[in-house]
């Protein structure tokens, strides 16, 4: 959607603009006259990817507001005038993942004013808000310069409350968990919202002034229950999220039954390594000794999971927290899978095909992806796992690219992720590479495989972990594999960031780069599915085992100490 900032309905050639007076930023009708929020009755804590789902908190209901997970939804930025997008910093906010940065955007301030106006116009609104079903929505269908023109709709969503399971049901279904192993149950009205950290994570107070993390149901009850069960059954480990402090219940509007809508976890005030690593690297307070300690602690956690017979598919710096003693603690066990830049070929290209299959009609003749889909479906050792079966759980179906791998291949995929994690730690980076969809407070300055700070011995561990992915970068593919990057909220080809915005040339260059990138990715996927690794299902042969990586890190620690 951010392409709209470059051009919309471009002419055949020449400059796109200047805009007409009706859409011009110079026209007062298209500008917001006031973004002052000093008297606002609302606060913006953050937003999801693309900025269309906003965490808006009614200040008048604090400090006694339970965490109801009522989110504000707004129209995509392409649906309101370019001049308004500019004045509200809407384009800049699309990739932001930092709540503080999002709250400072013009868009956040404008939404607070619009909510203020609605509350003043409808005095009973906040009373209605406090009685909404868990997971309901507030919706501004249009974002306009004048907040009086922004109609607010309330969507009472009963989906979560209708489908949530009772505590008794979960206890009976999970009969392998002893009754005394369950944490206490608390009613959601005993919790007090402090801050919404992301779509499914809320900082709350309970039992007086104690703070905890409320991990709640978002788009999938299945994933929340999966993580709850994992944490209840995982043997304690110092570098894995401790067992839940409590199970959170919510009384449903359907017959008044109480169901499980989430659970409470220990709050780690230090935050995640995503922000800690680059900040401390810049301040020169991050020694190689500390970096190695964190890597060894994460390796210990991964080994613990491997010995349990399970795996961890979400390893990134933002899923590793620091406790009060600055020890690393692994979190987020929903098993949704990892991002593009963290995925080994056997996961990435399988996921490409799964995404295509999910979006195509059931019967397609002469699809442009026919060859790719055919290679994916060819009979081999993983064919039964690659197709949906009635026995497949919703968790497995959502992350089939990982769950379809045999255990040995999952270990090698985990080692691949871990190698990239070690790279981020020693290079002092928030992510292994810049990501057009996610922008962090401190963006990566280099990308793998460029090394600047990593000691030679650690480089060797990283390279042994990642292995040697097949080299498909022939001159033909390499010339088409340039990426699109974001600069000051606008998209440009990676090699042509000096293009003048709002021109036909800029638009064509971005679109050509996007098409070239994805056509190259699909060619690589086809070649992988035609290769020996896919047919044999023997992935990551050239990567070290998890035990080998652990031993190498321990040896490195002995050398440092």
């Amino acid at each position: 959607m951010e392409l709209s900032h470059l051009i919309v309905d471009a002419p055949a050639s020449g400059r796109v603009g200047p805009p007409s007076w009706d859409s011009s930023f110079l026209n007062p009708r298209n500008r917001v006259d006031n973004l002052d929020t000093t008297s606002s009755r609302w606060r913006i804590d953050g937003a999801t990817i693309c900025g269309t789902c906003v965490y808006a908190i009614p200040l008048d209901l604090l400090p006694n507001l339970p965490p109801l997970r009522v989110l504000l939804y707004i129209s995509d930025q392409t649906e309101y005038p370019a001049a308004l997008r500019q004045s509200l910093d809407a384009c800049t906010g699309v990739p932001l993942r930092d709540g503080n940065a999002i709250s400072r955007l013009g868009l956040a301030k404008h939404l607070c004013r619009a909510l203020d106006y609605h509350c003043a116009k409808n005095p009973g609104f906040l009373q209605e808000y406090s009685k909404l079903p868990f997971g309901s929505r507030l919706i501004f269908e249009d974002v306009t310069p004048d907040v009086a023109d922004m109609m607010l709709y309330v969507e009472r969503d009963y989906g979560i409350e209708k489908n949530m399971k009772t505590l008794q049901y979960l206890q009976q279904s999970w009969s392998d968990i002893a009754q005394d192993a369950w944490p206490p149950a608390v009613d959601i009205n005993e919790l007090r919202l402090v801050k919404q950290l992301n779509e499914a994570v809320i900082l709350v107070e309970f039992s007086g002034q104690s703070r905890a993390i409320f991990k709640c149901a978002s788009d999938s009850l299945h994933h929340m229950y999966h993580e709850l069960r994992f944490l209840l059954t995982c043997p304690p480990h110092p570098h894995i999220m401790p067992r839940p402090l409590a199970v959170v219940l919510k009384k449903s509007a359907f017959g008044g039954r109480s169901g499980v809508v989430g659970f409470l976890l220990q709050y780690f005030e230090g935050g995640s390594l995503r922000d800690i690593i680059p900040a401390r690297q810049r301040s020169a307070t991050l020694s190689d000794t500390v970096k190695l300690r964190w890597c060894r602690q994460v390796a210990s956690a991964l080994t613990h999971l491997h010995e349990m017979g399970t795996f961890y598919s979400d390893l990134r710096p933002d899923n590793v927290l620091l406790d009060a003693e600055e020890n690393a603690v692994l979190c987020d066990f929903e098993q949704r899978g990892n991002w593009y830049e963290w995925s080994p070929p056997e996961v990435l290209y399988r996921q490409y095909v799964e995404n295509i299959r999910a979006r195509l009609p059931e019967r397609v003749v002469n699809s442009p992806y026919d060859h790719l889909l055919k290679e994916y479906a060819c009979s081999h050792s993983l064919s039964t796992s690659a197709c949906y079966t009635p026995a497949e759980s919703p968790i497995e179906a959502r992350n089939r690219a990982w769950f379809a791998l045999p255990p040995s291949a999952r270990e090698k995929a985990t080692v691949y992720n871990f190698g990239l994690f070690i790279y981020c730690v020693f290079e002092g980076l928030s992510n292994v590479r810049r990501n057009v969809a996610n922008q962090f407070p401190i963006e990566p300055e280099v990308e793998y495989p460029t090394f600047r700070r990593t000691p030679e011995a650690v480089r060797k561990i990283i390279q042994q972990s990642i292995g040697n992915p097949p080299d498909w970068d022939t001159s033909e593919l390499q010339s088409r594999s340039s990426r699109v990057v974001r600069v000051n909220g606008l998209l440009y080809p990676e090699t042509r960031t000096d293009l003048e915005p709002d021109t036909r040339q800029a638009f064509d260059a971005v679109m050509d780069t996007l098409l070239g990138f994805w056509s190259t990715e699909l060619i690589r996927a086809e070649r992988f599915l035609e290769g020996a690794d896919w047919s044999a299902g023997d992935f990551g042969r050239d990567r070290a085992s998890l035990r080998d990586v652990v031993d190498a890190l321990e040896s490195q620690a002995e050398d440092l100490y």
Side-chain angles (χ1 to χ4, degrees), residues 50-355:
C50 296
T52 56
C53 175
V54 181
Y55 318 142
I57 309 300
L59 300 181
D60 288 357
L61 297 182
L62 299 180
N64 299 315
L65 177 66
L68 298 175
R69 199 186 158 273
V70 176
L71 305 179
L72 172 65
Y73 287 78
I74 60 175
S75 55
D76 188 277
Q77 61 166 316
T78 56
E79 297 181 21
Y80 40 97
L84 184 60
R85 294 199 300 269
Q86 180 181 348
S87 63
L88 296 181
D89 310 314
C91 179
T92 303
V94 168
L96 289 182
R97 301 280 73 84
D98 177 53
N100 292 329
I102 292 171
S103 68
R104 293 192 293 267
L105 294 174
L107 178 61
K109 298 175 182 179
H110 191 58
L111 293 175
C112 285
R113 290 188 63 238
L115 291 166
D116 281 353
Y117 176 85
H118 184 82
C119 288
K121 186 178 178 181
N122 301 275
F125 173 72
L126 290 180
Q127 183 177 5
E128 176 189 359
Y129 178 101
S130 63
K131 298 178 181 178
L132 289 172
F134 187 87
S136 292
R137 301 181 175 197
L138 308 180
I139 302 172
F140 279 128
E141 289 193 349
D142 297 303
V143 177
T144 60
D146 188 345
V147 296
D149 296 331
M150 293 173 58
M151 298 297 297
L152 182 66
Y153 299 91
V154 178
E155 184 178 286
R156 303 174 67 90
D157 191 339
Y158 294 95
I160 291 177
E161 293 192 11
K162 182 178 179 180
N163 295 300
M164 63 186 179
K165 306 299 183 184
T166 65
L167 178 58
Q168 293 74 19
Y169 175 89
L170 293 180
Q171 290 174 335
Q172 292 172 4
S173 300
W174 303 343
S175 57
D176 55 321
I177 303 175
Q179 194 71 24
D180 59 1
W182 284 82
V186 299
D187 187 87
I188 195 171
N189 292 304
E190 298 178 38
L191 308 180
R192 297 292 176 261
L193 183 148
V194 176
K195 188 174 184 178
Q196 181 111 16
L197 302 179
N198 70 37
E199 191 176 3
V201 176
I202 304 175
L203 179 61
V204 298
E205 287 183 350
F206 78 110
S207 298
Q209 298 300 314
S210 299
R211 288 194 169 189
I213 291 297
F214 174 39
K215 186 68 182 285
C216 59
S218 55
D219 63 330
S220 171
L221 278 164
H222 297 293
H223 284 88
M224 184 269 290
Y225 290 143
H226 174 86
E227 182 169 17
L228 173 60
R229 175 173 169 75
F230 169 82
L231 293 173
L232 291 176
T233 56
C234 178
H237 188 277
H239 305 298
I240 289 178
M241 175 65 72
R243 293 164 59 83
L245 305 173
V247 175
V248 180
L249 307 180
K250 171 73 167 64
K251 188 175 182 180
S252 170
F254 293 88
R257 68 187 180 96
S258 290
V260 177
V261 292
F263 48 90
L264 297 183
L265 295 171
Q266 179 180 337
Y267 173 48
F268 293 87
E269 293 189 43
S272 75
L273 291 186
R274 182 197 76 186
D275 300 327
I276 294 169
I277 290 174
R280 288 187 55 173
Q281 185 68 56
R282 284 189 174 185
S283 63
T285 59
L286 189 56
S287 67
D288 283 353
T289 301
V290 173
K291 293 177 179 179
L292 184 59
R293 174 160 57 88
W294 289 343
C295 291
R296 291 170 62 206
Q297 290 170 344
V298 171
S300 175
L302 295 175
T303 301
H304 183 71
L305 297 175
H306 181 65
E307 291 172 348
M308 286 175 56
T310 186
F311 63 99
Y312 185 67
S313 62
D314 299 78
L315 182 59
R316 301 185 304 272
D318 54 325
N319 282 335
V320 180
L321 309 175
L322 282 191
D323 65 14
E325 288 75 39
E326 291 201 340
N327 293 312
V329 178
L330 212 58
C331 72
D332 193 351
F333 295 92
E334 291 188 348
Q335 288 287 39
R336 291 179 183 265
N338 223 320
W339 296 346
Y340 161 88
E341 60 267 30
W342 288 85
S343 298
E346 65 270 22
V347 171
L348 179 64
Y349 298 134
R350 181 189 293 271
Q351 191 60 57
Y352 282 172
V353 184
E354 289 291 344
N355 291 346

Side-chain angles (χ1 to χ4, degrees), residues 288-290 292-293 426 455 458 554-561:
D288 283 353
T289 301
V290 173
L292 184 59
R293 174 160 57 88
F426 274 88
V458 179
E554 294 299 325
S555 176
Q556 184 65 18
E558 293 175 3
D559 293 341
L560 277 179
Y561 299 136

Side-chain angles (χ1 to χ4, degrees), residues 344-346 412-413 415-416 464-467 539-545:
E346 65 270 22
K412 293 302 184 74
V415 169
Y416 182 99
Q464 289 174 341
S465 300
I466 295 173
F539 305 115
R541 293 189 302 273
D542 57 343
R543 297 177 208 149
S545 68

Side-chain angles (χ1 to χ4, degrees), residues 492-534:
Y492 295 91
E494 186 176 28
T495 57
R496 303 184 66 188
T497 57
D498 58 340
L499 286 171
E500 186 177 3
D502 296 324
T503 63
R504 180 58 153 179
Q505 181 186 21
F507 175 80
D508 288 344
V510 169
M511 293 305 298
D512 288 345
T513 302
L514 285 170
L515 292 173
F517 175 84
W518 282 111
S519 63
T520 299
E521 286 295 290
L522 292 177
I523 291 172
R524 288 173 170 162
E526 285 188 357
R527 293 186 180 182
F528 179 79
L529 297 180
E530 292 171 346
D533 284 358
W534 177 254

